[in-house]
Amino acid sequence: MQTPISPSDNLKVYVISDSAGETGESVVRAAAAQFHPVHLEIKRFPFIDSIDMIDQVLKLAIRHEAVIAFTLVVPELRRYILDQALKLQLVCIDVLGPVVDRFEKKLGLTSKHLPGMVHRLDEHYFKKVEAVEFAVKYDDCRDPRGILKADVVLVGVSRTSKTPLSMYLAYKSFKVANVPLVPEIKPPNELFEADPKKIVGLKISTRKLNAIRKERLKSLGLNEDADYANTNRIQDELAYAVDLMDRLGCKVIDVSDKAVEETASVILEWFSHQNR
């Protein structure tokens, strides 16, 4: 039987899926976030479609004392993995099963039991892929022409989560371009030609940005007293950014104490309200 781990140990989770495993991993990460600072170590085992493949993963889970989370829709495979986990005394979580079962009872219908239905190659899927490619292409204002093509334009000083936020919104099918604001560099003309309603300014407190930049310098093996993390320099950058956002007349969000998901939620709600 698996024993409890200490918060200083890694929580190992093996995600078994008959598709890519994205759904299972997302649920596991969301749940594990409630137990910070436990360090999460996830390994995906995608496109599992046989008992033999399941057995191989279960052997690894026993050896490494990993938790099993699975998204299998074929009833025989679901039953097998639950039975085996019980016999082997493994912690095993059926991510989709209970939801599918309850939907069947509520709708009076039987599930199709077809793997990969969430990620089928439909119009929405291709739109998401296109948005991700767009976010990569126009990240950090590599090509200012993307500003006029984007659904959302993010502006802010360095380390205000512009890139991760761009990618998160891309997974929601929004084409996002982002523009770093630096006092010594003139913003591209396209920024002033774009519709202010699609521009979102990201502001942050001096204290928070100072801490983030010091950690960034430390991770790069650089001196945390560098000008990049200097309080006076940061204040100058933020003052410049706020002034520019005022000139643009754009929506401004304070990201000082917000996770990327929270900021994205505010942006999505804002655009939803704009389009009503």
Side-chain angles (χ1 to χ4, degrees):
M1 182 175 181
Q2 293 182 343
T3 56
I5 65 171
S6 71
S8 60
D9 293 332
N10 288 355
L11 171 62
K12 296 182 178 67
V13 182
Y14 287 176
V15 176
I16 298 176
S17 176
D18 45 27
S19 186
E22 293 177 1
T23 301
E25 180 172 347
S26 296
V27 172
V28 168
R29 289 193 182 280
Q34 301 298 318
F35 299 92
H36 182 78
V38 170
H39 185 268
L40 181 65
E41 184 179 320
I42 294 179
K43 183 173 178 58
R44 277 198 224 173
F45 294 87
F47 308 110
I48 299 294
D49 60 5
S50 71
I51 286 175
D52 286 343
M53 294 174 77
I54 290 173
D55 284 339
Q56 291 177 38
V57 181
L58 295 182
K59 287 178 183 177
L60 287 174
I62 294 171
R63 187 184 310 162
H64 299 290
E65 296 189 346
V67 171
I68 295 290
F70 70 90
T71 53
L72 299 172
V73 296
V74 177
E76 293 77 16
L77 296 182
R78 278 180 58 200
R79 284 195 294 269
Y80 181 78
I81 195 170
L82 288 170
D83 289 344
Q84 289 301 109
L86 185 62
K87 291 177 185 176
L88 299 170
Q89 295 187 304
L90 283 169
V91 176
C92 187
I93 304 158
D94 184 353
V95 177
L96 288 182
V99 180
V100 173
D101 290 345
R102 281 160 179 74
F103 279 5
E104 286 184 333
K105 290 177 182 177
K106 181 67 177 177
L107 297 170
L109 299 172
T110 301
S111 162
K112 295 178 184 295
H113 302 309
L114 295 176
M117 290 295 288
V118 173
H119 303 290
R120 64 190 186 281
L121 302 183
D122 57 10
E123 184 180 353
H124 177 69
Y125 174 84
F126 286 112
K127 187 177 180 181
K128 183 189 294 185
V129 171
E130 186 180 357
V132 171
E133 291 175 346
F134 186 97
V136 172
K137 182 176 181 178
Y138 296 109
D139 181 45
D140 218 20
C141 204
R142 290 173 186 163
D143 183 347
R145 290 176 297 179
I147 294 171
L148 299 178
K149 301 175 183 177
D151 300 318
V152 183
V153 180
L154 303 175
V155 298
V157 301
S158 174
R159 311 313 293 179
T160 47
S161 298
K162 295 185 298 299
T163 297
L165 188 54
S166 295
M167 296 307 299
Y168 188 96
L169 291 171
Y171 277 106
K172 299 293 184 181
S173 301
F174 281 80
K175 292 181 179 178
V176 186
N178 72 74
V179 181
L181 301 181
V182 183
E184 294 79 12
I185 301 176
K186 182 183 176 183
N189 292 331
E190 287 85 352
L191 191 59
F192 298 95
E193 297 170 9
D195 183 350
K197 291 181 180 179
K198 74 175 185 179
I199 302 175
V200 178
L202 307 176
K203 71 175 185 178
I204 191 171
S205 70
T206 301
R207 170 193 57 79
K208 184 70 173 181
L209 186 55
N210 175 256
I212 292 173
R213 288 189 174 182
K214 280 186 175 180
E215 283 300 315
R216 176 59 175 164
L217 289 171
K218 196 184 300 181
S219 70
L220 295 172
L222 301 174
N223 192 329
E224 63 180 52
D225 294 328
D227 191 46
Y228 182 66
N230 179 275
T231 301
N232 291 331
R233 168 64 186 182
I234 287 174
Q235 289 175 337
D236 289 343
E237 287 186 45
L238 293 177
Y240 166 77
V242 169
D243 178 66
L244 181 60
M245 292 172 198
D246 286 342
R247 286 162 53 198
L248 291 170
C250 64
K251 168 77 173 173
V252 178
I253 301 173
D254 190 335
V255 300
S256 301
D257 298 303
K258 285 186 174 65
V260 169
E261 295 85 354
E262 292 178 274
T263 305
S265 178
V266 173
I267 292 173
L268 293 172
E269 186 176 343
W270 161 257
F271 276 88
S272 174
H273 177 74
Q274 293 283 69
N275 295 323
R276 283 174 189 166

